[in-house]
Every structure is written in C-alpha cells, then in structure tokens.
Amino acid sequence: MPSPPGPVRAVSSSHNGFAARTEVAVKGRSRAPTGASTDRRATDRYLPLLALGFAGYVIFGKSFAYLGLPPLFVGEILFALGLLAFLASGSTTALLTTIPAISAALLMGWVLLRTLQGIGAYGVDALRDGAVALYAGFAFIVAALVVERPIRIAEIVGYFRVHARVLIPIAIILYLIARFFGASIPKLPGQNVEIISVRSGELAAHLCGALVLVLVGLCKVSRTWLVGALGAALLVASQSRGGMLALLVPLVLAMVLTGQVGRLASITAGLTLALLVAYAVGFEIDLPRGERPISAVAVVENLASIAGSSDANNLDGTKLWRLSWWQAIRDYTIHGPYFWTGKGFGMNLAEADGFVVGLERGGPTVRSPHSVHMTYLARGGVTGLALWLVTIGSWTLALLRAAHLAWRRGDHDWARYFVFLVCYLASIVIDASFDVALEGPMLGIPFWILFGIGFGSLMIYRAWHLVETPPRFGRMARSGARIAGATLLGAMMLLGSPRSEAAETAPCPPGAIPVPVGAAIQAIVEKAPPGASFCLAAGVHRAQLIAPKDRQVFIGQPGAVLNGAELVTDIRRKGAFWATATSKLEIRPFGTCLPHRARCNDPRRFFLDGRPLEPVADRADLQAGRVYSDAATGMSYFADDPRGRTLERTRQLYAFNNEGARGITVKGLIVEKYATPAQQGAIFGDENARATDWLIEGNEVRFNSGSGIATGDRSIVRGNKVHNNGQLGISPNGTDVLIENNEIYENNTHGFDAGWEAGGVKAGKVERLTLRGNHVHDNYGSGLWCDVDCRNVVFENNLVERNSDAGIFYEISFDAIIRNNTVRLNGTGRGGQQGSFWVWGAGIQIAASEGVHVYGNTVTVAEGSTGIVIVDQGRERVDQPRRKGGEGKLLYRTARNTVHDNEIVYEGDTGLSGGASDVPASNPNFRIIETGGNRFDRNTYVLRRPTDAPLFIWGQEPISYDIFRSLGQEAGGRIVQPD
C-alpha cells in the first residue's frame, strides 16, 4: 500500500495558474507494491466518470437521476464503481485523520443502523431515505483519490472551470426551456419525469459555485457570461426564496473573505438599481403551469417573506406550512418519544406527520420536511441532528481555518480554493434548509463530492505545511470551537423551545400506546395487537386514516384533533382572484342537491381560517366566502385574500374506516374536515357485517363532507357533539344501536335536499334502535329520522328543536315508541329546505308506518307549522314477497298507530294535527287512516291565540276539533283556549 504523500509544493501561485500549473513533489514515498500502476489507471478513469455524473445532475437534474436499471440508477452505479476505485486507491486507512471525516463516518454509521432497522418494514424506501447520509460514501471515495494523487486537485479545479464556463450556461438555457415549454418537454420512457428537470434551488446552488469561482479569481469568464449569470441569478431569485438565499449569502461571504468589500458594494448598488428600475416599470414575464412570474416584484416578495409576511401567498403559505411541520417534528423528538432515535428511515414523513402536499398536482407527494436539518432530526433524532451539525460545522471551520492559514502564508490560490469550496457547499446547505435537496441524488451526490474534495484537499495542504499552528491562530481556533459549541447549544435550545401544548398534557392512561403529533397512526395500529389502546396527544394529527383491529381503543387527550384536510400552500394571484391547482377526488358525486346548492355532493372542500368556503358553479358568482373550481383546468379560485391565513383542502376520506373490526372505542377526539362521501361517516363503523360493537363517546365531529358518524350492529354513540357536517350528523344502521346524550346540530351545511336525505340523524333498515336524551337542533333537514323498514325503534327524552323539516320523522317502517320528548318549533324551512306545508314538516310525523305509539311528548308548533301527524302515502313495500299471478304489490299501511297523552302547543293561529291521506281514491290505502285502527286520545291542545281555523285533519280535508271528535278521535282529549 502506498504511504501517505509527502509535502506538496505549488510552483506558481498566480490567481489563474493554480490548477493549470500545479506540480507535485512527493518526497519520502515508499515503493509501491506490484500492480500499483494498474490500480492507478483504474482510479484515473473514475474521476472523469464522476465528473460526467456531476455534470449530468447540474444540467438535467432529476431526470438524470432516473437513468439506469432500477434499482441501479446512475447514482448507485457511480457509487458501486467508486467503491472499486476507493479500494484500489490504497488510501483507505489514511482518511480518518480529520474531525470532519470522523464525524461523517459516525453520521453514516448512525443512519445506516437506523436504515437497516427500517428495511423490514419499508424495503427499498428505507435505503432511499437513508441516502441523505449514505451518499457520504462519495466523500470518502473522492478524498481517497485526492490523497492517492494530490495532482488530482488541479484536475478537479479544471473540471470546476468547465462547470462554470460550459455547464452553467447550458443549465440556464435548459432551465428557461423547462419554465416556458415544460408541457412540451418529453418524459423519460417509463417514468413520469421530464427530460429536463432542474429545480430552481439546484440551479441556484450550482450557479453560486460558478460565480464564487469567478469572484475569487480561480476562473476567467467573458462579460457576456457574467451578465447572463447575473440575469439567471435574478431569475432564480424571483422563483425561489431558498434559491435566492443560496445565491446571496455565499456570494457575499466569498467577497468578504477574499477582501472584496468595495466590489461587493458596487455590485450591490448596480443590482439594486436594476431591480428598482424593473420594479418601477412593472417588468414581468408570465410562466405557464401556474408558476410565479419572472419579475422584480417576485424578487422583492421573496426578500420580504424571509423576515415577515409577503403579498404572495404561496410564500407565506409555504413558510407557515414548513414552520408548522418543523414544530411538529420538534414536538415528537425534543419533547416526545423519538428524542434519541427519530422515526427512522423508510416511512413517508409527510404522511406520517400529516403535512402531505403534491396530491393537488397529481403526485408524487413530498416525503421529507423541506429542511435537511429537520430530516435528520425527524428520522435520526437528536443524535442524528447533532452528528449532522458537527459534520458540516467541523468541515466548514476546518476549511476556513485552512483558508486563513493560506492567506497568512501567502498561498493565496489555496486560500481562494478553500473559500470556493466553503461557499459552494454553503449554498447547497442553504438551499437544503428550505427544500428537499440532500435527500435526493441531484444535490446529495454533488454535496458529498464537494465534502470529500474539501477534507481530502485539507489533508494535502496540511501535509504540505508540516508546521505548528501559530499561537494567535490557535487562540482563534479555540475561540471558534467555543463559538461553534455555543451556536450548536443555541440551536438545540431553539429546537426545544417553546414547549408545545402536546408536550404538557397529562400522561396517557396506563397501558395505552402514546401517539404523538406527527406519528403515522396506522403504522402504529398495524404493529399493535388486537385489544391495544392508543392515546393520541393533543394537537393536529393531519390527514390520518385509521383502519383498526378488533377491540382496539383510541383515546384523545384534550385538544387531540384528527384533521382530514391538507394545508394549501401553492397559491398565487390571478387577476382579481387567488388560484391553486386542485386534484379531483376520485369519488362519484352522490345525492340530490338543492337547486341553489348544486355542488352539495362534491366532498372536496376548502376552509379558510377554519371557516368553510361555499363552492359555486360559475366563476361569475365568486365572491368573499366562496370558491370556484374549474374542472377543465383543475384550478380553484378564491375571492378572499388568503395571505397570512390558513387555507385547507379536504384530502382524506375517513378518520376511522372499518375493515370488519369489532369492539372499537373512539373517545375524546375532535374529528374534522374529512372528505366523507354522502351517507358515510368520518367515523365509519358501518357497511361491513363484521363491524359491530363500536363505542363512540365524548367526541366532537364536525365539518366533514358526508355524515359525521356512521355505525353498525350493537354500536353506542354517546355524549358526542356532532355538528356542521355536510349531509348528516349521525347515520346509524344495523341492530341494537344506542344513540344517547349527544348534541347534534347545524348539519347538512352543504345543501343536500333533505327530501332525499339530510339533517341531524337518519337511520335506515335498523332494528332495536334507541335514540335517547339527545339535543337535536337547527339542522337543515329533519332532526331524528328513521326510514325504510325500521323496526322496534324508541325515541325518548330527546330535545328536538328548530330543525328545518320534521322534528321526529318515522317513515315506511314498523313498531316504534316515541315518548317523553320535547319537540319545539320545527319545520322552519331554514337553508332552503322543505319546511312545513300542508302536513309535512311536523313536530312529530309518522308516514306510511304501522304500529307506532306516540305519548308523553310536548310539541310546540310554530305559526303555520304542524303538530303531530300520521300520513298515508300508498307506497309500495321495499321487501316485496314473490307474488302469484294477478296479485298486486304490497303497500305500506298507516295502521295501528296511537297518539295519546301528549301536549301540543300552537304558537300561531294555524296548524294541523291528526291523520291525513295523501293518495287518490283509486289507491287501496285511500281510507286507511279511518279504517286502519289509528287513534288520537287524551291529548291536550293549547292555543296561544284565538282562531277559527281548522287545526285538525282526518282523511283528506282539514276539520275543526268538534268534527275531529265526532269521527271517534279524542274522546278523552281537551283543547285549551287562550284567556
């Protein structure tokens, strides 16, 4: 194995001759073993190959990363070949002699351990996510090649000159083509990736590296090149906030470190003047595909949004989205169960943490939190973040120290070289602090190549100058170490402060599995056995879908929210409105809408600061509080200014979707903003014969598109607040269901026609359903409704008031008891619903049903409304038996119904109670009211106003109380006239 190189001497130190005229004198080298020349030829071939790979990422971006045969893409192929070159270099044991290299090795080791732990659950996704640190292998490969032959530093600088002079202009041109002609660019065969796929942040980082190389004097370029590069810099600054910072900060740093403060001032003045002129004349170039325009205004908005709010909502929105996600990560690491280890590698953090974006553009979704630092914290815990910060911090301090030494010793080109590497790497890190960058090969591989060049070159420079560190610089280094330590400590304090509400809540019940905010709840559920209990921490668990196992228990701590909506951040100004791209939910519209609410059955909904926005069918109807979605373009438009506000869009269909699970408990949660289809529930324990015995207790269920809660056999829904859901509050089904002590109000906010199905509670085909002690009010439809072959249903001790249609409605069903309820002022017609007319919309309404007993109720009837009515409709039975020839269809019969010992209070001077026939004389049920054994008796009718209007009906026509009694009704009843 060759011994480490001896001192290296540069023959020339002129600004532009560093790379081209570096000669290497290696003294004291031992004899190389046999075959060394063959090994060297192998390593000589690899460096140009790696340079080509670097160039491919610069020019083509993501599409270049997809070249290869999965899973061996170009990055993996380069890595495999690099390992061979690394072993052939003979320098493998010489690398771990610097703190940056040791730190990088420890970081790789920690991430590799956490990655291997995730492979079983996530497969290749774990390796893909672990690449954020495992790509550090490129650093050791490159460093080994540099240490093996230090003359390669000159070759590397030559490559960077080609990068600046040739690759960057090509990259700028292709970037412009992608921005203006993106829709026409072909995609890679078999991949949903355009051939030209460079992001603004990636171009910014590479452009910054080229500009720094020129500014520090290691590369000469023409004025045309410089003008084009500065123009491209302004273009990127208008498109990307992170890209702007990735350009601005390193360039300023490079000029300060190389003593070009005067040049910095003049360039700043010139750019400011050009920006002001462009701003004054309103220079703007629109881009297709809904992207931000190229303009001076966009640059100013980017600058303004860094420290404060901006007029461009996509800036404020993405900033708030990032900050919210980063706070969630701090909650479950610094203040949560993932402090040391993080969540590991393989899971989609966006889905796990509830911050998915990308679906609105058809995917793929973002997997990581738009900050490499937060990626390390979330996936590797505090351990991973600390190793990462030490790695980049020690590398930066080491190279800045080497640059300082080089300036003092007169090695100016070495100094400029180190400054160039520091600024180039800093540019990538800055971009990676605001976007998904190092998590993929497009910037991840170039980053670690630069890292390896840096510490490899550092080893060569130290070998060249085998001298003691001057005492003055030694003090600086120690001071710098103290400053770095204080900075790291401050960063950790920042990450840990302030403590979130979730961190301060009471501990979970004994034996429960804690579920912190940001956790992938379904993944935890799948790993747990049947019968396990889960305690959901306070805070927003966004876009979670839970499919439980038998007997599992889900308990929310105070303030725990299951939110089915995603944050909308990609929004921009479009004329007088704001617009965002919105993907269509794959749900068939279902249900009948009111004429003026034609979009009622579209479960895709938007919320601004928690307030639902009303969808309109025509852009001309767009105004504050409304949203218009254009199916042709996939764009949604808003009249409200969403800057500095929270805009959400429904994404997930269900909070709980049973897959035949029995005995589930859902307790103490807020469940909101799910895109639930009509007739289904956000808590959906229904439509599976095995989904029985659910207990849904003490929850608040609100703002969901269909029903709030739907249940199956032997379920209990108790003590919940169910309100402001799109169609229904609760939809019970099956047998032996109890709906008890809930508050159910203001449901059917989407404008379904309540004659189809909407309102507070509606059950169908249930047996032994009990609705007890509920407060059901102000729903846009009927309050409590059972329809189609319900049997043995009990309505008791409920307070039912101010619902738009009937208070309690029992329809085409059998054998019910309606007792001891207080029913007030229903049939209001609010929200454009049917309300009360003729006998419909009654306080208590029995339609085409048999064997219903109504007693002990107090019914208050509003002016023009209806009290207690039974009505026959001659409707055909749903469950028709097989008929013999000539037999007619069976009809539901309004028979054997008794209404007794109730109090009916008329607030106005009109209104009806009794029995009505709604069929023609030819119908077999024409006289079923009179002949079907229906009876009214011992009821008290209280009149608040004197009236001569007929207040009763028996058959087809309204009649007086006296006639009503003469027909055999109310033998023991009475009527109380006003004083």
Side-chain angles (χ1 to χ4, degrees), residues 73-96:
F73 295 104
V74 64
E76 285 72 20
I77 295 171
L78 285 173
F79 190 79
L81 295 174
L83 288 177
L84 298 177
F86 175 77
L87 296 174
S89 71
S91 302
T92 56
T93 60
L95 299 180
L96 295 179

Side-chain angles (χ1 to χ4, degrees), residues 825 860-863 905-909 942 944-945:
L825 307 176
T860 302
V861 183
E863 172 73 35
V905 180
Y906 289 89
E907 293 289 332
D909 55 8
V942 179
R944 299 296 190 194
R945 300 181 192 175

Side-chain angles (χ1 to χ4, degrees), residues 349-421:
L349 279 180
E351 293 182 353
D353 296 352
F355 289 88
V356 171
V357 294
L359 293 176
E360 69 277 5
R361 297 185 183 276
T365 62
V366 170
R367 291 178 56 86
S368 297
H370 279 239
S371 170
V372 68
H373 318 299
M374 288 296 165
T375 294
Y376 276 112
L377 180 61
R379 296 193 183 279
V382 173
T383 306
L385 177 64
L387 288 172
W388 161 249
L389 294 177
V390 169
T391 299
I392 59 172
S394 61
W395 185 93
T396 302
L397 289 174
L399 264 68
L400 287 176
R401 178 188 177 197
H404 177 79
L405 286 172
W407 280 114
R408 288 171 56 83
R409 292 169 176 159
D411 301 326
H412 293 165
D413 286 323
W414 273 103
R416 293 182 174 93
Y417 173 65
F418 287 128
V419 168
F420 158 71
L421 291 175

